[in-house]
């Protein structure tokens, strides 16, 4: 009787180990799929960013003129405007990346 309990217990342990291995394998596959989605999202975001940078670079080249001499106040105002543009641009890029990730997770 004790021998049959031992055999049954050993068989149950084997089945539990196999089930755990299968669950780990499935979890790892899900992890790999999620990583691939994240890589694709990052790639799309980089490509979009590069397009935007190229476009803004072309626009800026067309608008460039010799800079007139600016007073200190005007120079400070220009620096402040440039800083706000930079912050706004970064925020737009961040929002775009978030949107791409949301679309991939749907």
């Amino acid at each position: 009787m004790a021998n049959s309990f031992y055999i049954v217990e050993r068989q149950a342990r084997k089945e539990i180990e196999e089930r755990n291995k299968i669950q780990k394998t499935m979890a790892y596959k899900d992890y790999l799929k999620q990583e691939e989605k994240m890589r694709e999202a990052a790639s799309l975001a980089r490509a979009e960013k590069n397009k935007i940078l190229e476009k803004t670079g072309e626009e800026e080249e067309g608008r460039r003129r010799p800079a007139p001499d600016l007073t200190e106040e005007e120079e400070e105002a220009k620096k402040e405007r440039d800083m706000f543009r930079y912050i706004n641009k970064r925020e737009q890029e961040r929002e775009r990346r978030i949107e791409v990730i949301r679309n991939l997770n749907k």
Side-chain angles (χ1 to χ4, degrees):
M1 183 100 165
N3 191 25
S4 32
F5 280 132
Y6 175 73
I7 292 171
V8 169
E9 182 183 359
R10 188 171 58 188
Q11 183 64 28
R13 286 178 194 250
K14 284 183 184 179
E15 290 174 2
I16 290 171
E17 286 177 13
E18 288 178 26
R19 186 178 64 215
N20 287 341
K21 284 181 185 178
I22 292 170
Q23 287 177 345
K24 284 181 182 180
T25 304
M26 291 174 62
Y28 184 68
K29 286 181 182 180
D30 290 342
Y31 168 77
L32 291 177
K33 286 179 186 177
Q34 187 67 23
E35 280 291 313
E36 187 62 31
K37 283 184 181 180
M38 294 299 279
R39 279 192 204 102
E40 289 174 13
S43 177
L44 289 173
R46 278 192 298 272
E48 192 172 326
K49 176 184 173 186
N50 289 336
K51 286 181 186 177
I52 291 169
L53 290 177
E54 288 174 6
K55 189 182 294 183
T56 57
E58 291 171 3
E59 291 172 1
E60 287 177 4
E61 287 177 13
R63 286 187 280 163
R64 288 192 182 154
R65 292 175 263 169
D69 293 331
L70 301 176
T71 64
E72 285 185 30
E73 292 175 3
E74 291 171 335
E75 189 68 34
E76 284 295 319
K78 182 182 182 299
K79 286 181 182 178
E80 189 174 338
R81 286 192 308 271
D82 289 344
M83 182 179 62
F84 283 123
R85 284 186 191 123
Y86 173 76
I87 291 170
N88 190 26
K89 182 178 171 184
R90 296 268 315 213
E91 188 64 29
Q92 288 175 351
E93 289 175 12
R94 180 180 175 273
E95 290 297 325
R96 244 185 256 99
R97 282 188 227 116
I98 290 171
E99 189 62 34
V100 168
I101 291 171
R102 284 183 188 151
N103 289 338
L104 287 176
N105 288 333
K106 288 182 181 180

